[in-house]
């Protein structure tokens, strides 16, 4: 059985979304990053990076890093989430990297946890504001990428796992979503995998 190391409400929601979408059986082990469970020796023994998501395979291998876990899911569990055309595959990986590496790490990280970087409260406000601008720019790029398609690459794909958590965070943090992204989030929430999941998305 696969085991997803997951903190509800965090970016591991995106991998949970893809596993639910794949419709396969898996276990979920909660690692609450708000209370520091990612730093326990037990979890570090599984993932020395101390981050979620991580996915433990049947043979004990632990996969880390959102993009590579999403890639593995598309290659081995859910071919319907992995495009066939080389250029679309390449754009899918670029979209994943943009969402996780830029919109999340260089945007939401500063919106959500500026205190991790600076202790001065004015500096935290400046960092939060910088993060909000990065997220807004990111949402505009994603809106152009989506255009009038149903999902980010056209048909549903592994890129939509990252899009799901990015849009979910944006809505929760009071960002105004461009119309096509708001409709896409509604469509993603209406899919059977998410709608019928065990409910480990909310913190
Ligand atoms: N590069 C990692 C980043 C994952 C990440 O930042 N996860 C956050 C939750 S959204 C985390 O585990 N934070 C705990 C910490 O930084 O201590 C990936 O792509 O999976």
């Amino acid at each position: 059985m696969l085991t997803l190391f997951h903190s509800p409400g965090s970016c591991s929601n995106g991998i949970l979304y893809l596993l639910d979408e794949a419709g396969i059986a898996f276990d979920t082990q909660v690692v609450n990053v708000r209370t520091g469970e990612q730093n326990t020796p037990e979890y570090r023994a599984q993932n020395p990076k101390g981050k979620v998501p991580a996915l433990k395979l049947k043979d004990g291998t632990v996969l880390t890093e959102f993009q590579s876990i999403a890639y593995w899911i598309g290659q081995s569990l859910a071919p319907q989430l992995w495009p066939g055309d080389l250029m679309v595959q390449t754009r899918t990986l670029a979209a994943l990297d943009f969402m996780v590496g830029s919109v999340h790490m260089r945007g939401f990280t500063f919106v959500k946890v500026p205190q991790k970087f600076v202790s001065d409260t004015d500096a935290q406000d400046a960092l939060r504001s910088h993060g909000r601008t990065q997220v807004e720019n990111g949402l505009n790029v994603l809106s152009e990428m989506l255009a009038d398609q149903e999902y980010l690459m056209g048909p549903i794909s592994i890129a939509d796992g990252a899009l799901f958590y990015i849009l979910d965070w944006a809505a929760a943090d009071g960002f105004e979503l461009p119309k096509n992204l708001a409709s896409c989030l509604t469509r993603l929430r209406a899919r059977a995998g998410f709608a019928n999941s065990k409910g480990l998305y909310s913190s």
Side-chain angles (χ1 to χ4, degrees):
M1 182 77 91
L2 295 172
T3 302
L4 174 65
F5 295 103
H6 170 57
S7 186
S10 81
C11 60
S12 57
N13 270 8
I15 297 297
L16 178 61
Y17 187 93
L18 292 177
L19 291 173
D20 279 336
E21 177 68 29
I24 48 108
F26 61 96
D27 282 333
T28 308
Q29 189 170 316
V30 171
V31 179
N32 188 337
V33 296
R34 291 191 180 160
T35 57
E37 285 176 12
Q38 72 277 27
N39 298 318
T40 61
E42 292 74 22
Y43 186 59
R44 292 275 171 162
Q46 300 289 342
N47 177 9
K49 294 174 182 171
K51 304 275 182 196
V52 293
L55 186 65
K56 191 170 189 173
L57 309 186
K58 287 175 195 159
D59 70 358
T61 304
V62 177
L63 304 180
T64 62
E65 304 297 332
F66 192 105
Q67 297 94 313
S68 64
I69 299 171
Y71 176 76
W72 184 86
I73 291 171
Q75 287 291 315
S76 57
L77 291 182
Q80 69 277 20
L81 299 177
W82 180 241
D85 177 79
L86 174 63
M87 276 322 292
V88 187
Q89 291 173 349
T90 307
R91 287 196 291 107
T92 301
L93 295 177
L96 274 168
D97 201 51
F98 176 67
M99 290 184 278
V100 179
S102 297
V103 187
H104 170 179
M105 302 308 296
R106 306 301 296 263
F108 276 111
T109 300
F110 300 138
V111 173
K112 290 179 178 296
V113 285
Q115 69 279 8
K116 270 192 170 180
F117 305 95
V118 282
S119 50
D120 177 76
T121 52
D122 287 342
Q124 287 176 12
D125 285 345
L127 209 45
R128 201 175 284 115
S129 158
H130 169 79
R132 287 193 78 86
T133 304
Q134 297 306 305
V135 172
E136 280 159 7
N137 292 343
L139 292 173
N140 288 334
V141 171
L142 291 169
S143 174
E144 280 180 26
M145 223 182 256
L146 177 65
D148 58 1
Q149 306 178 107
E150 275 204 297
Y151 299 104
L152 205 50
M153 294 297 132
I156 187 108
S157 76
I158 57 171
D160 296 300
L163 187 64
F164 171 77
Y165 89 79
I166 291 288
L167 295 184
D168 195 52
W169 279 0
D173 285 332
F175 288 90
E176 198 176 325
L177 288 182
K179 246 185 174 166
N180 63 343
L181 290 181
S183 309
C184 186
L185 180 57
T186 304
R187 266 194 297 282
L188 287 167
R189 285 177 174 155
R191 290 187 68 87
F194 176 74
N196 300 329
S197 81
K198 285 179 265 167
L200 280 168
Y201 286 91
S202 304
S203 46

